[in-house]
Structure formats: C-alpha cells, structure tokens
Amino acid sequence: MTAPVFVVEDGALRVGTVTLDGSEGRHAVSVRRLRVGEEIVLTDGAGTGAYGTVAAVEGKDRLDVTVTEVRTEPAPSPAITVVQALPKGDRGELAVETMTETGVDTVVPWQAARCITQWKGERGARALAKWRATAREAGKQSRRLRFPEVTGPMTDKQIAALLADADFAAVLHEEGSEPLATAPLPADGRIVLVVGPEGGVSPEELAAFAAAGAKPYRLGRTVLRTSTAGTAATALLLGRTGRWS
C-alpha cells in the first residue's frame, strides 16, 4: 500500500525534520493512527512532495517526519480542463471527487442556462468552498502531489474565451457527429472540455462555443449524467494522450 499523503504549507518541504500539526496532524495521528517508523508523504498540493517516515508522535495532533527526499513533478501536458455545469444536490462534489481521482487538472463551475441549481450569494460561496475542499481531499486520497484548481464560476463569455485559447476544445453532446475517442488531440498544451447540465447545452450556448472553436463530440452510445460524464471523458483523454502510460 502506498504511503498516505498530507498537506503542509508552501515552503515547508525540505530534507530533515518537518512537523505536521493542526488539522492535518490531527488526521494523521487520531484518524489514520500513524506510528513511528511508518512511511508518509507531505505535499504542498502544487507538485512538490516530501518522502519520509514518522519520527515522533506527540499528543493527538502533532507528529515529526524525517524527510529523506523532496521532489517536484512537472506540470502535466496536455493539461485537461473540464467546464462542469452545476448538478443538483451533492452531485457536484461527486463530479469533482471522481474527476480529481481520475486526473483532471482544472475544474470550472458553470451555471448553464438549463441548470436547476443556482449559485448566488453566500450559498454560491459555500458551494464553491465545498468543491475546493472536495478536490483537496480527493487529491490526498488518490496520492496526488498536484491538486486540481477549482476556479470561480465563469460566464458563457469567459468560457468562450477559455475555449478559444485552448489547443483542443470540445462540448460533450449526445448529438455530436464525431466520437471523442477519435478526435485529433494535441501532444501538449491545454484541452478544454464542456460538460452540460442534465437538461443539455442550449442551442445558444452551443453556437457561442462553436464560434470559439469548440465542436460537439459524443462519448458513446449511452447518455451519462452530468456528474459522471466529465470523469469518463477525462479518463478517455488521459489514456489517449499517453498521460496514463
């Protein structure tokens, strides 16, 4: 079994003794019950990891780690961004969780025209905070050193600009004439994929995104929920681009 991952502040990673305390220390000591001699990985969530073993445990929320190696992973390429329409209930966190575990690099919340869920005021701020916390926890669970960025919600105009700047841009759509499995993909750069709501992407949105260079593609013969389509598409793209090889 691979060593568990815990998050530390940026700049705290170094060879030698590093202290893990606070909420992460509490989770390591009181929940995971790590003991002296067990392997552990510390990360800043931005690509750097420190590898070592537990040297000492103090109380319920503090342990010292003897770090023997620090290394930084290069940013993945091509990077994969998923524009995720807001699902109902807690399906948004499910989408973020599974996309993070799969390997997505950026998630962009999108309140599409046909979304039932609305992010407004404090409710929107709380929902965004949940998405970001979910990405962090799923990043730790899946042993990632580089956690995905969850941006603030974007408008159609902002998403169109994102698509126009991409090296490959696509909208998942059940009526797409081409399968995503055979689309020509770039060897590097950025891939941006739009996942619509349960009610589908509106004709006006499709037209705006097409004008920005995003063609509609289908995943397969079945129609997936908005909360699972992004994960399936991310897995397909990671396999096709060689990032999973």
Side-chain angles (χ1 to χ4, degrees):
M1 183 175 179
T2 55
V5 174
F6 296 91
V7 181
V8 298
E9 292 183 0
D10 183 28
L13 301 177
R14 62 185 182 277
V15 173
T17 301
V18 177
T19 297
L20 184 66
D21 53 16
S23 61
E24 289 291 276
R26 185 176 305 107
H27 185 73
V29 175
S30 300
V31 179
R32 294 300 300 266
R33 298 186 182 278
L34 294 185
R35 296 294 179 257
V36 173
E38 291 192 74
E39 294 183 347
I40 187 173
V41 178
L42 307 177
T43 183
D44 58 3
T48 299
Y51 300 80
T53 56
V54 177
V57 177
E58 300 178 29
K60 297 181 179 180
D61 61 358
R62 178 187 173 99
L63 54 77
D64 291 333
V65 178
T66 299
V67 174
T68 56
E69 179 187 8
V70 176
R71 63 175 183 258
T72 300
E73 293 182 348
S77 187
I80 298 174
T81 294
V82 173
V83 177
Q84 175 66 58
L86 306 182
K88 295 180 290 185
D90 60 358
R91 289 186 175 274
E93 288 106 275
L94 173 64
V96 172
E97 179 181 49
T98 54
M99 283 192 289
T100 298
E101 292 172 353
T102 304
V104 76
D105 302 297
T106 305
V107 178
V108 178
W110 174 41
Q111 189 167 305
R114 293 175 176 174
C115 281
I116 295 176
T117 298
Q118 307 232 343
W119 281 10
K120 293 182 179 179
E122 291 185 7
R123 178 182 178 181
R126 288 195 301 270
L128 178 58
K130 284 183 179 180
W131 280 33
R132 287 174 171 167
T134 298
R136 172 187 167 108
E137 292 307 309
K140 290 165 55 181
Q141 176 67 33
S142 54
R143 311 298 197 265
R144 290 181 62 164
L145 298 183
R146 191 180 298 274
F147 300 163
E149 175 190 7
V150 179
T151 73
M154 289 192 184
T155 63
D156 290 1
K157 185 175 180 180
Q158 290 172 314
I159 291 168
L162 195 67
L163 294 167
D165 193 47
D167 297 280
F168 174 81
V171 179
L172 289 186
H173 198 278
E174 60 186 284
E175 297 179 3
S177 60
E178 298 179 42
L180 188 63
T182 59
L185 301 178
D188 51 26
R190 180 172 292 277
I191 294 172
V192 180
L193 186 70
V194 177
V195 178
E198 301 290 358
V201 182
S202 73
E204 295 78 15
E205 291 164 339
L206 273 177
F209 296 159
K215 292 176 58 175
Y217 289 89
R218 66 180 186 275
L219 265 179
R221 295 182 179 179
T222 60
V223 178
L224 279 69
R225 284 183 176 272
T226 184
S227 54
T228 55
T231 299
T234 296
L236 173 64
L237 294 172
L238 287 169
R240 290 199 57 213
T241 57
R243 282 183 49 182
W244 267 3
S245 62

